[in-house]
Amino acid sequence: MELNDANLQTLTEFLRKTLNPDPTVRRPAEKFLESVEGNQNYPLLLLTLLEKSQDNVIRVCAAVTFKNYIKRNWRIVEDEPNKISEQDRTTVKANIVNLMLSSPEQIQKQLSDAISIIGREDFPQKWPDLLTEMVTRFRSGDFHIINGVLRTAHSLFKRYRHEFKSNELWLEIKLVLETFALPLTELFKATIELCQTHATDVNALKVLFSSLTLISKLFYSLNFQDLPEFFEDNMETWMTNFHALLTLDNKLLQTDDEEEAGLLELLKSQICDNAALYAQKYDEEFQPYLPRFVTAIWNLLVSTGQEVKYDLLVSNAIQFLASVCERPHYKNLFEDQNTLTSICEKVIVPNMEFRSADEEAFEDNSEEYIRRDLEGSDIDTRRRAACDLVRGLCKFFEGPVTAIFSGYVNSMLAEYAKNPGANWKHKDAAIYLVTSLASKAQTQKHGITQANELVNLTEFFVNHILTDLKSTNVNEFPVLKADAIKYVMIFRSQLPKEQLLQAVPLLITHLQAESTVEHTYAAHALERLFTMRGPNNTTLITAVEMAPFTEMLLTNLFKAMALPGSSENEYIMKAIMRSFSLLQESIVPYIPTLIDQLTQKLLLVSKNPSKPHFNHYLFESLCLSVRITCKANPATVGSFEEALFPVFTEILQNDVQEFLPYVFQVMSLLLEMHSNSIPSSYMALFPHLLQPVLWERTGNIPPLVRLLQAYMEKGGATIAASAADKIPGLLGVFQKLIASKANDHQGFYLLNSIIEHMPPESLIQYRKQIFILLFQRLQSSKTTKFIKSFLVFVNLYCVKYGAIALQEIFDSIQPKMFGMVLEKIVIPEVQKVSGTVEKKICAVGITKVLTECPAMMDTEYTKLWPPLLQALIGLFELPEDDSIPDDEHFIDIEDTPGYQTAFSQLAFAGKKEHDPIGDAVSNPKILLAHSLHKLSTACPGRQSERRGPPVPAGLFTGSQCATGLKDNAVPFKRTP
């Protein structure tokens, strides 16, 4: 693409169309931009537009498009095409900093993010002058430019807060500190002086305080991994000024807005964070400054109001106290009973109250409320911070703190009892107080795992929680109902089973509540209860125990999705999935109705997929419907195809990229349900599955390979007879996959299925070329993963076609090649093969080479016979993998190794591990013994000539290897 006016005009028109709400206009424009983004000069055209366009909307749109383009394409991934030319990369890096600093703030933020994305890949090695270029701008005196530099530095350095320690990281931080620490400190001092100079100029102060907040954020990032020598030497400068800023109260910077935090609050919040970091990690060095920070932060807490704008400040200030009180050598600061009472009364209790702002969020912004309260993203809420402070205080003062709070809890509950309608918030605070007091350790998966023994959770449940759950009016006091449901959910591991069983029908009733928070919590609580483990790795609550409630559970879950605000509620869909998995065949009578509702929902969300987790659980539920019903009656697979194929066709035709990997997985599951034939509807689709464009997207590869494997398994002969012209296309897919280090194992999955299921005569003309391709890849890029897969394939070929055929095809490529492969690859590498089925294939294949290949008897290959037998014995002696994979019922998508945005494995579309040898050989050790016996009978005296290794005692005893795969990079592990 040339850098000319015509191309700029075209790009402008398409960018404008991407903003159109009509998908028929928007989608083609997005597709066009996607199709041209690999062209040279594309990023430069975007940068030119964002700099020179007269239309501000287009400038911002170009900036966002540029940032997303950089995000998708800047990283160079091995085996994948590099979409940005070196020339464009150099030009972008040469111009982007200047452009960012001279742009308006809205565009500056996008370019700043783009610089940090590029920096993550290229800094410091490929972009050594980035920091120097940025630091020199500090001298400009223009705070628009300075803040641009600080914002970019922040987005570049904030990853230091969560990166694992490594030499590479420390060398980078060392380089950054050498270039950046001194200028940052000088800028910090100069900015504070300017604040004093311009103390009465509100506009100047706003800019300067923005700078101070960014400087404070940078301080946090640069000090996170370890205490740098520079900052230790200059601690006096930083801490004295931080303390001064913490106690500063400039009336000009106070805002009337009750919701949005002002600059003063944001700066003080960050300083509290910085002080907490030092108190936690560098307490010895920070010791001289600690008392004054504790005093300043305490005064801040007791003087700050309840408005929402102070939430971040208050929660960070409380977090500081929490981090101090759990350190042993600050224990003396909190020992006094009066201090503890004061903290409880003035800090903890007021910040646990349910405010009108919380009530507003509960009713009008339920999604955000749930995200904060349920998913643990409430790090910056007052309640979470107060809860952490209670936990911190309980570390050394559990008895006194529990006693103090018990008094508060009792008085709050007494107030509620006097007038529930007016005083329900007192009970809400009491429940929260009990929860924070009782919780010692918590996980997402199991709820509270360790509780305060001084709190009687069961008694509190019976006296105060059950009453709300049993209330006949599910819409009365929704906050208290949600509290009660959450209590059951988080203390599920502490409450006895009979109380959980008592709660189940009550929770099912709460699915009908109008409040989004309430019915969402009910769905989530049920889903969590259904994943609790009982004895023998089974579920604690069984399908039999759920039998009386099955119909009500399914009805209410599906009805809940019709309630306002919950049409794509991921918690409800996850509960549907988990209910199906728990109830198994109990759901079969309801499936005809339910599958109709699920397909309607799928059709609806496919128009505009926006909730990835909801969509994932929807497809999981579809898979469960298919598996459970077809297990009971295999003939019903046709009914599912009738219901699902129209929706799948629409998804394929509209190229809904997010859903294609799911569709291919469900189709694999359906096809695998058929007896040994491929229905015509699948055969019509077969040629389309080989189109290169589908294989360009990495997310499609695992499910497409699985689907093609199903085609081979169910109709290898049909394909050979009626679609023989498609075999080159099939092998073309194999060739593409085998060339990629990331996907070569997928290529072997496909190749193994082709060898196993296709009629031998259909492959005669291609066999030699297949081996040549494999040898070329071995020569160019030999990885352990590739060798393991190669060994399994070679031995499968031997099992399928015989040892003589294997030896002949190797030697037809190059004389003596068979010996070279045995000597250089099979003998030294075979013990790296893992996985029961894979080891079995290799054992049977090598046994055939040892005992059924004449060339191993009387040629120069004979010398390889003893070491090959030794290698096989070594394979047998490897420890067996006796680990039992987790039952799929308990799996969360976060636990699934293949869960990512591009491709998500469906746990319930999984298939049992396939053994291509099957019952023909039950124990490869016994096969070897029989084969060696047969060989010695046929050729007496020959084995002693070979002087093979002694066979270890007990080698041919014992049971067959335990099933279970260890290494997911080895063929025949089906994509679950």
mmCIF file of all heavy atoms in Angstrom, residues 316-337:
data_model
loop_
_atom_site.group_PDB
_atom_site.id
_atom_site.type_symbol
_atom_site.label_atom_id
_atom_site.label_comp_id
_atom_site.label_asym_id
_atom_site.label_seq_id
_atom_site.Cartn_x
_atom_site.Cartn_y
_atom_site.Cartn_z
ATOM 1 N N ASN A 316 -7.189 1.752 50.409
ATOM 2 C CA ASN A 316 -5.717 1.662 50.405
ATOM 3 C C ASN A 316 -5.132 2.010 51.771
ATOM 4 O O ASN A 316 -4.148 1.411 52.209
ATOM 5 C CB ASN A 316 -5.121 2.584 49.336
ATOM 6 C CG ASN A 316 -5.248 1.994 47.943
ATOM 7 O OD1 ASN A 316 -5.791 0.905 47.771
ATOM 8 N ND2 ASN A 316 -4.764 2.694 46.936
ATOM 9 N N ALA A 317 -5.754 2.975 52.439
ATOM 10 C CA ALA A 317 -5.284 3.354 53.782
ATOM 11 C C ALA A 317 -5.502 2.193 54.764
ATOM 12 O O ALA A 317 -4.627 1.874 55.572
ATOM 13 C CB ALA A 317 -6.029 4.606 54.254
ATOM 14 N N ILE A 318 -6.664 1.542 54.673
ATOM 15 C CA ILE A 318 -6.936 0.394 55.550
ATOM 16 C C ILE A 318 -5.975 -0.747 55.213
ATOM 17 O O ILE A 318 -5.471 -1.438 56.106
ATOM 18 C CB ILE A 318 -8.409 -0.067 55.429
ATOM 19 C CG1 ILE A 318 -9.359 1.038 55.916
ATOM 20 C CG2 ILE A 318 -8.649 -1.341 56.229
ATOM 21 C CD1 ILE A 318 -10.842 0.735 55.709
ATOM 22 N N GLN A 319 -5.726 -0.946 53.901
ATOM 23 C CA GLN A 319 -4.790 -2.009 53.492
ATOM 24 C C GLN A 319 -3.404 -1.760 54.072
ATOM 25 O O GLN A 319 -2.693 -2.700 54.428
ATOM 26 C CB GLN A 319 -4.697 -2.104 51.943
ATOM 27 C CG GLN A 319 -5.931 -2.656 51.267
ATOM 28 C CD GLN A 319 -6.155 -4.146 51.500
ATOM 29 O OE1 GLN A 319 -5.402 -4.791 52.213
ATOM 30 N NE2 GLN A 319 -7.195 -4.685 50.908
ATOM 31 N N PHE A 320 -3.020 -0.481 54.187
ATOM 32 C CA PHE A 320 -1.733 -0.157 54.806
ATOM 33 C C PHE A 320 -1.731 -0.640 56.259
ATOM 34 O O PHE A 320 -0.795 -1.307 56.707
ATOM 35 C CB PHE A 320 -1.475 1.359 54.744
ATOM 36 C CG PHE A 320 -0.334 1.818 55.629
ATOM 37 C CD1 PHE A 320 0.981 1.619 55.240
ATOM 38 C CD2 PHE A 320 -0.578 2.418 56.864
ATOM 39 C CE1 PHE A 320 2.038 2.020 56.065
ATOM 40 C CE2 PHE A 320 0.468 2.810 57.684
ATOM 41 C CZ PHE A 320 1.777 2.611 57.286
ATOM 42 N N LEU A 321 -2.792 -0.301 57.007
ATOM 43 C CA LEU A 321 -2.872 -0.749 58.407
ATOM 44 C C LEU A 321 -2.866 -2.279 58.488
ATOM 45 O O LEU A 321 -2.232 -2.868 59.360
ATOM 46 C CB LEU A 321 -4.143 -0.209 59.071
ATOM 47 C CG LEU A 321 -4.188 1.281 59.401
ATOM 48 C CD1 LEU A 321 -5.485 1.625 60.130
ATOM 49 C CD2 LEU A 321 -2.998 1.708 60.272
ATOM 50 N N ALA A 322 -3.581 -2.923 57.539
ATOM 51 C CA ALA A 322 -3.643 -4.395 57.528
ATOM 52 C C ALA A 322 -2.255 -4.989 57.315
ATOM 53 O O ALA A 322 -1.878 -5.977 57.959
ATOM 54 C CB ALA A 322 -4.607 -4.874 56.440
ATOM 55 N N SER A 323 -1.485 -4.388 56.410
ATOM 56 C CA SER A 323 -0.150 -4.928 56.126
ATOM 57 C C SER A 323 0.797 -4.686 57.307
ATOM 58 O O SER A 323 1.706 -5.467 57.558
ATOM 59 C CB SER A 323 0.422 -4.334 54.830
ATOM 60 O OG SER A 323 0.590 -2.949 54.953
ATOM 61 N N VAL A 324 0.560 -3.603 58.060
ATOM 62 C CA VAL A 324 1.420 -3.315 59.220
ATOM 63 C C VAL A 324 1.083 -4.239 60.394
ATOM 64 O O VAL A 324 1.975 -4.806 61.027
ATOM 65 C CB VAL A 324 1.266 -1.823 59.648
ATOM 66 C CG1 VAL A 324 1.959 -1.558 60.972
ATOM 67 C CG2 VAL A 324 1.831 -0.905 58.562
ATOM 68 N N CYS A 325 -0.231 -4.441 60.647
ATOM 69 C CA CYS A 325 -0.616 -5.159 61.875
ATOM 70 C C CYS A 325 -0.272 -6.641 61.828
ATOM 71 O O CYS A 325 -0.206 -7.287 62.867
ATOM 72 C CB CYS A 325 -2.098 -4.958 62.180
ATOM 73 S SG CYS A 325 -3.194 -5.897 61.118
ATOM 74 N N GLU A 326 -0.046 -7.212 60.624
ATOM 75 C CA GLU A 326 0.282 -8.641 60.609
ATOM 76 C C GLU A 326 1.794 -8.900 60.587
ATOM 77 O O GLU A 326 2.220 -10.040 60.481
ATOM 78 C CB GLU A 326 -0.419 -9.346 59.437
ATOM 79 C CG GLU A 326 -0.086 -8.805 58.075
ATOM 80 C CD GLU A 326 -0.916 -9.480 56.981
ATOM 81 O OE1 GLU A 326 -1.937 -10.116 57.298
ATOM 82 O OE2 GLU A 326 -0.525 -9.364 55.808
ATOM 83 N N ARG A 327 2.606 -7.831 60.702
ATOM 84 C CA ARG A 327 4.061 -8.011 60.812
ATOM 85 C C ARG A 327 4.430 -8.142 62.290
ATOM 86 O O ARG A 327 4.050 -7.277 63.105
ATOM 87 C CB ARG A 327 4.826 -6.823 60.212
ATOM 88 C CG ARG A 327 4.400 -6.351 58.858
ATOM 89 C CD ARG A 327 4.675 -7.344 57.768
ATOM 90 N NE ARG A 327 6.103 -7.531 57.525
ATOM 91 C CZ ARG A 327 6.563 -8.364 56.615
ATOM 92 N NH1 ARG A 327 5.723 -9.090 55.895
ATOM 93 N NH2 ARG A 327 7.849 -8.508 56.414
ATOM 94 N N PRO A 328 5.177 -9.190 62.656
ATOM 95 C CA PRO A 328 5.454 -9.431 64.084
ATOM 96 C C PRO A 328 6.052 -8.234 64.810
ATOM 97 O O PRO A 328 5.661 -7.935 65.937
ATOM 98 C CB PRO A 328 6.448 -10.598 64.051
ATOM 99 C CG PRO A 328 6.222 -11.271 62.740
ATOM 100 C CD PRO A 328 5.772 -10.214 61.786
ATOM 101 N N HIS A 329 7.014 -7.496 64.165
ATOM 102 C CA HIS A 329 7.648 -6.458 64.982
ATOM 103 C C HIS A 329 6.887 -5.133 64.990
ATOM 104 O O HIS A 329 7.370 -4.149 65.530
ATOM 105 C CB HIS A 329 9.129 -6.253 64.604
ATOM 106 C CG HIS A 329 9.407 -6.172 63.154
ATOM 107 N ND1 HIS A 329 9.666 -7.292 62.401
ATOM 108 C CD2 HIS A 329 9.476 -5.122 62.304
ATOM 109 C CE1 HIS A 329 9.893 -6.924 61.156
ATOM 110 N NE2 HIS A 329 9.776 -5.632 61.071
ATOM 111 N N TYR A 330 5.681 -5.095 64.418
ATOM 112 C CA TYR A 330 4.826 -3.907 64.619
ATOM 113 C C TYR A 330 3.688 -4.244 65.586
ATOM 114 O O TYR A 330 2.781 -3.449 65.808
ATOM 115 C CB TYR A 330 4.205 -3.444 63.292
ATOM 116 C CG TYR A 330 5.198 -3.065 62.213
ATOM 117 C CD1 TYR A 330 4.940 -3.338 60.865
ATOM 118 C CD2 TYR A 330 6.397 -2.414 62.520
ATOM 119 C CE1 TYR A 330 5.840 -2.999 59.867
ATOM 120 C CE2 TYR A 330 7.301 -2.071 61.532
ATOM 121 C CZ TYR A 330 7.024 -2.364 60.210
ATOM 122 O OH TYR A 330 7.907 -2.015 59.222
ATOM 123 N N LYS A 331 3.730 -5.472 66.112
ATOM 124 C CA LYS A 331 2.671 -5.992 66.972
ATOM 125 C C LYS A 331 2.393 -5.041 68.145
ATOM 126 O O LYS A 331 1.246 -4.814 68.536
ATOM 127 C CB LYS A 331 3.154 -7.356 67.488
ATOM 128 C CG LYS A 331 2.139 -8.195 68.168
ATOM 129 C CD LYS A 331 2.785 -9.549 68.488
ATOM 130 C CE LYS A 331 2.123 -10.181 69.680
ATOM 131 N NZ LYS A 331 2.783 -11.402 70.094
ATOM 132 N N ASN A 332 3.468 -4.454 68.702
ATOM 133 C CA ASN A 332 3.332 -3.590 69.885
ATOM 134 C C ASN A 332 2.435 -2.373 69.630
ATOM 135 O O ASN A 332 1.839 -1.817 70.552
ATOM 136 C CB ASN A 332 4.710 -3.129 70.365
ATOM 137 C CG ASN A 332 5.440 -2.336 69.284
ATOM 138 O OD1 ASN A 332 5.504 -2.770 68.143
ATOM 139 N ND2 ASN A 332 5.968 -1.186 69.648
ATOM 140 N N LEU A 333 2.323 -1.956 68.342
ATOM 141 C CA LEU A 333 1.505 -0.778 68.021
ATOM 142 C C LEU A 333 0.023 -1.046 68.269
ATOM 143 O O LEU A 333 -0.774 -0.112 68.391
ATOM 144 C CB LEU A 333 1.697 -0.374 66.555
ATOM 145 C CG LEU A 333 3.082 0.124 66.129
ATOM 146 C CD1 LEU A 333 3.143 0.313 64.624
ATOM 147 C CD2 LEU A 333 3.410 1.452 66.826
ATOM 148 N N PHE A 334 -0.376 -2.342 68.274
ATOM 149 C CA PHE A 334 -1.807 -2.672 68.321
ATOM 150 C C PHE A 334 -2.217 -3.439 69.591
ATOM 151 O O PHE A 334 -3.361 -3.836 69.719
ATOM 152 C CB PHE A 334 -2.171 -3.525 67.090
ATOM 153 C CG PHE A 334 -1.880 -2.843 65.787
ATOM 154 C CD1 PHE A 334 -0.647 -3.008 65.156
ATOM 155 C CD2 PHE A 334 -2.822 -2.013 65.201
ATOM 156 C CE1 PHE A 334 -0.371 -2.369 63.955
ATOM 157 C CE2 PHE A 334 -2.549 -1.373 63.997
ATOM 158 C CZ PHE A 334 -1.322 -1.543 63.372
ATOM 159 N N GLU A 335 -1.260 -3.645 70.507
ATOM 160 C CA GLU A 335 -1.533 -4.531 71.653
ATOM 161 C C GLU A 335 -2.575 -3.982 72.616
ATOM 162 O O GLU A 335 -3.336 -4.730 73.207
ATOM 163 C CB GLU A 335 -0.223 -4.793 72.424
ATOM 164 C CG GLU A 335 0.535 -5.961 71.844
ATOM 165 C CD GLU A 335 1.917 -6.130 72.481
ATOM 166 O OE1 GLU A 335 2.420 -5.178 73.106
ATOM 167 O OE2 GLU A 335 2.461 -7.221 72.356
ATOM 168 N N ASP A 336 -2.615 -2.689 72.765
ATOM 169 C CA ASP A 336 -3.497 -2.084 73.754
ATOM 170 C C ASP A 336 -4.968 -2.329 73.403
ATOM 171 O O ASP A 336 -5.380 -2.138 72.254
ATOM 172 C CB ASP A 336 -3.210 -0.577 73.810
ATOM 173 C CG ASP A 336 -4.018 0.097 74.892
ATOM 174 O OD1 ASP A 336 -4.021 -0.409 76.018
ATOM 175 O OD2 ASP A 336 -4.668 1.113 74.586
ATOM 176 N N GLN A 337 -5.757 -2.757 74.378
ATOM 177 C CA GLN A 337 -7.187 -3.053 74.169
ATOM 178 C C GLN A 337 -7.921 -1.823 73.625
ATOM 179 O O GLN A 337 -8.790 -1.926 72.757
ATOM 180 C CB GLN A 337 -7.811 -3.502 75.507
ATOM 181 C CG GLN A 337 -9.299 -3.830 75.431
ATOM 182 C CD GLN A 337 -9.575 -5.211 74.852
ATOM 183 O OE1 GLN A 337 -8.684 -6.033 74.763
ATOM 184 N NE2 GLN A 337 -10.805 -5.454 74.442
#
